[in-house]
Amino acid sequence: MIHVDQLTKQYGPTLAVDRISFDVARGEIVGFLGPNGAGKTTTMRILTCYMPATSGTASIAGHDVFRDSLSVRRHVGYLPEGVPLYQEMRVEEYLRHRAWIKRVPAADRARRVEYVMERCDLKAMRRRLIGSLSKGYRQRVGLAEALVHDPPVLILDEPTIGLDPNQIRHVRALIRDLGNDHTILLSTHILPEVEMVCKRVIIINGGRVVFQESLDTIAAQRAGGTRLVVELRAPAANAVAVVKDVPGVLHVVADNAQPVVRLDVEVKPGADVREEVFQRAVRNGWTLRELRTEQPSLEDIFVRLTAKEEA
Amino acid sequence: MRNIPALTWREINATFFSPLAYVVLTLYLFFSGFFFYLILDASRQATMTGLMGILTFLFLVSIPLLTMRLMSEEYRSGTIESLMTAPITDAEVILGKYFGSMIFFIFMLLPTLLYVVILKRFGNPDLGPIFASYLGLLLMGAMFIALGLFCSTLTRNQIVAGVLGIVSLLIIWVLGAVGERMTGDFAPIVRYIGTQQHVQSFSSGRIAFRDAFYFLSFAAFWLFLSVRVLESKRWR
């Protein structure tokens, strides 16, 4: 549904997005992650035809964002960062106005507006001025607006920012629910949110895609465990040599403490070396105090991929 | 061009919601009524010629105050992003706003028809020049609003847009007088660009194609530039 190929955006001398490529298939919910200034909003703005790319192409539902911009805009519901809305309009009035602009046929307009208000839990607020709504409700008005023309693709820029925990839950549930009928690309800073809502994650940093994996794959890798923590009552140098020798172990780091040494063991994905480590410890007469696999969370992955530059 | 009614409708709503519109409307009606009385009391003639001069001058100031909000407010509040990612063209955005302001401008003109009714009731005015004057005001408004809208596309600051609009209108207003005092090849061009003589020809009862063309072509020119400025915003 969304196809991005070698997309680049330059603001004067600054390279905001650097040859990004990715695809989002129909019905997928994809989390778009990255530190502030990584190029998330810029990418989304290019996809929604707010600004053109410097080079590269992108298309949504088969329509090129540059050459066929109006068709793209008809197929996309967009929740911009910060949810800009007309403060002086009432909720229902605003949604009707947007439905009109987005070419919802006049006969369907009332029904569609009613439906999105129902979906986003806005019915009680229909007569309220948008300017007087709380942030959570404004966010929902933004979502309802994005949905009002029933677009196959939703692009949501930080849909849960600034909400309280209850509202976040509500919006997440809504997004997960919307995933049944829509293809969704959403950006966020909240990593557990991605794990709860998305099927796949794309991490960008410094304008480039640095990680792209489905959450199922991440979970599968975790089950095998790629890191092992071993605590032994043993001389550090010997322990490192012995553990390193175990088939499947890639790398061992010791903290060199005495008399108990702590080893941080990197294991080949899929390999399970725990029993072998245990037996070798016994053979050497060392007391094994701890042996556990450490699972990399999405947060670990995120930090590993994006923190380098700040350090 | 199908989306213009939706945009125009929202623009009219926004105008009637803003307190500024009512302030401008009130002051404008107060001054026009006041001068209508003064001129009538001094001249004892059932004509509108004198008042038309006053009205055009009032519009010189009040139209930029009404149009300064149009695009600047969208830029400032960020709503420009939802506007420019909706399936509407940039030209539709500009024209929707333009027609919204035109309708409000016509709404501003309507109460002054009461003066015509008063003249008709107590005197015997020549309706021809009055009709021509209103046509002139409409055409002039069409051009002033286009220029005011253009100023608003330039900046996110409403005050800057408003001041820029008033100053530009004043400049093209006095160009006519400047042209009169100039000699050389450019003098006729400067005289033509000046607004004053074109307005005067309408209020003296002449409907000339040349003057109508002046207002409409400049209105189209400023609207065209507005669309271009809006398009260029995407590239920044």
Side-chain angles (χ1 to χ4, degrees):
Chain A
M1 275 313 250
I2 304 177
H3 176 71
V4 176
D5 189 25
Q6 298 284 311
L7 205 66
T8 300
K9 176 73 188 182
Q10 223 166 341
Y11 297 107
T14 353
L15 198 56
V17 173
D18 185 10
R19 284 165 289 157
I20 274 189
S21 301
F22 63 87
D23 281 277
V24 180
R26 182 184 298 272
E28 251 189 326
I29 304 182
V30 173
F32 201 41
L33 307 181
N36 285 324
K40 299 188 299 282
T41 297
T42 302
T43 308
M44 289 185 151
R45 283 180 165 172
I46 294 169
L47 287 176
T48 52
C49 313
Y50 182 57
M51 48 169 69
T54 308
S55 68
T57 58
S59 65
I60 288 180
H63 302 283
D64 186 275
V65 292
F66 188 69
R67 279 190 300 268
D68 202 1
S69 146
L70 288 178
S71 312
V72 170
R73 296 190 233 171
R74 267 196 291 277
H75 285 87
V76 173
Y78 176 40
L79 178 73
E81 191 179 14
V83 199
L85 302 165
Y86 291 128
Q87 309 284 312
E88 84 284 355
M89 289 179 108
R90 294 177 195 283
V91 172
E92 186 176 6
E93 179 191 23
Y94 176 69
L95 293 173
R96 282 197 185 217
H97 167 63
R98 295 294 296 184
W100 191 1
I101 282 185
K102 291 173 160 189
R103 303 252 176 94
V104 177
D108 296 343
R109 235 172 268 155
R111 194 181 49 76
R112 274 307 298 178
V113 168
E114 206 64 25
Y115 171 77
V116 294
M117 283 197 298
E118 170 85 56
R119 201 90 201 248
C120 302
D121 217 356
L122 282 167
K123 282 198 155 171
M125 298 289 152
R126 66 196 321 154
R127 299 282 304 149
R128 287 275 294 272
L129 286 175
I130 290 173
S132 75
L133 291 178
S134 70
K135 199 157 187 188
Y137 275 111
R138 255 180 261 183
Q139 204 85 20
R140 286 189 224 175
V141 175
L143 262 178
E145 191 276 327
L147 280 173
V148 77
H149 57 309
D150 198 16
V153 177
L154 287 174
I155 294 180
L156 312 173
D157 201 354
E158 306 202 357
T160 55
I161 199 167
L163 301 183
D164 71 37
N166 291 328
Q167 294 168 330
I168 290 180
R169 264 183 191 212
H170 185 97
V171 170
R172 269 181 208 159
L174 179 63
I175 291 171
R176 211 163 21 206
D177 200 29
L178 290 171
N180 296 327
D181 322 310
H182 305 267
T183 304
I184 302 176
L185 180 67
L186 75 101
S187 78
T188 178
H189 283 300
I190 309 164
L191 297 162
E193 179 163 297
V194 175
E195 294 177 86
M196 276 182 257
V197 175
C198 304
K199 295 197 178 76
R200 196 153 65 85
V201 50
I202 296 170
I203 298 178
I204 68 170
N205 189 32
R208 311 211 60 167
V209 174
V210 290
F211 183 79
Q212 215 183 140
E213 200 65 79
S214 86
L215 283 166
D216 288 342
T217 316
I218 296 174
Q221 283 179 356
R222 256 189 230 189
T226 56
R227 274 177 69 220
L228 205 61
V229 174
V230 185
E231 207 175 278
L232 289 165
R233 190 176 292 276
N238 290 359
V240 171
V242 168
V243 174
K244 214 171 192 166
D245 201 37
V246 176
V249 170
L250 297 173
H251 193 63
V252 180
V253 181
D255 67 351
N256 292 321
Q258 289 291 350
V260 173
V261 66
R262 219 179 149 77
L263 305 176
D264 197 344
V265 183
E266 204 177 310
V267 184
K268 212 189 285 173
D272 190 347
V273 299
R274 284 172 293 182
E275 289 179 24
E276 185 61 29
V277 169
F278 170 76
Q279 270 161 15
R280 291 193 184 201
V282 172
R283 235 177 285 151
N284 284 284
W286 299 333
T287 315
L288 184 63
R289 287 166 51 98
E290 190 178 351
L291 176 63
R292 69 182 157 89
T293 54
E294 192 133 278
Q295 306 182 328
S297 66
L298 190 55
E299 193 168 324
D300 291 333
I301 298 172
F302 182 86
V303 169
R304 181 161 50 83
L305 292 169
T306 61
K308 289 171 218 154
E309 272 148 50
E310 280 158 44
Chain B
M1 296 291 116
R2 282 195 280 165
N3 295 302
I4 291 176
L7 294 161
T8 299
W9 177 85
R10 128 88 198 150
E11 212 43 58
I12 295 168
N13 264 357
T15 311
F16 279 104
F17 191 88
S18 86
L20 182 68
Y22 291 97
V23 173
V24 170
L25 196 59
T26 307
L27 286 177
Y28 148 81
L29 282 177
F30 170 78
F31 280 112
S32 67
F34 179 66
F35 281 107
F36 175 70
Y37 167 75
L38 273 191
I39 293 167
L40 200 60
D41 193 47
S43 71
R44 302 269 158 198
Q45 281 174 351
T47 71
M48 296 270 281
T49 316
L51 185 66
M52 286 302 161
I54 301 289
L55 285 184
T56 48
F57 200 78
L58 287 176
F59 285 135
L60 219 57
V61 181
S62 55
I63 284 180
L65 291 179
L66 291 171
T67 55
M68 66 186 190
R69 198 196 85 257
L70 293 174
M71 292 309 296
S72 305
E73 179 65 16
E74 303 269 0
Y75 298 151
R76 193 197 53 76
S77 69
T79 44
I80 188 71
E81 193 166 349
S82 24
L83 204 55
M84 287 171 83
T85 53
I88 48 181
T89 63
D90 296 350
E92 284 174 327
V93 171
I94 293 293
L95 287 177
K97 288 187 175 287
Y98 179 69
F99 291 130
S101 296
M102 269 312 278
I103 289 170
F104 188 80
F105 172 69
I106 292 168
F107 179 81
M108 278 175 83
L109 275 181
L110 287 181
T112 64
L113 290 177
L114 198 64
Y115 307 148
V116 183
V117 174
I118 291 171
L119 291 182
K120 191 92 182 94
R121 174 77 179 72
F122 297 103
N124 187 20
D126 187 356
L127 289 179
I130 292 178
F131 173 76
S133 300
Y134 272 100
L135 187 66
L137 282 183
L138 272 181
L139 288 167
M140 185 193 73
M143 172 179 138
F144 284 11
I145 289 171
L147 179 54
L149 174 56
F150 170 72
C151 294
S152 187
T153 56
L154 296 175
T155 167
R156 55 187 286 143
N157 186 325
Q158 289 194 33
I159 308 296
V160 172
V163 171
L164 196 62
I166 292 174
V167 170
S168 329
L169 284 178
L170 283 173
I171 288 173
I172 58 168
W173 182 258
V174 300
L175 274 185
V178 172
E180 295 296 332
R181 280 158 191 75
M182 270 173 68
T183 48
D185 295 343
F186 289 112
I189 298 170
V190 173
R191 261 204 308 280
Y192 176 77
I193 294 173
T195 311
Q196 203 178 4
Q197 55 151 333
H198 301 282
V199 175
Q200 271 165 358
S201 99
F202 273 104
S203 54
S204 60
R206 257 182 300 127
I207 299 176
F209 174 76
R210 175 190 136 92
D211 300 312
F213 180 78
Y214 165 82
F215 288 117
L216 292 176
S217 60
F218 269 103
F221 173 70
W222 294 117
L223 286 176
F224 172 76
L225 284 191
S226 303
V227 175
R228 284 293 138 135
V229 170
L230 187 59
E231 281 171 352
S232 78
K233 294 263 171 196
R234 289 185 192 271
W235 296 89
R236 279 175 235 166

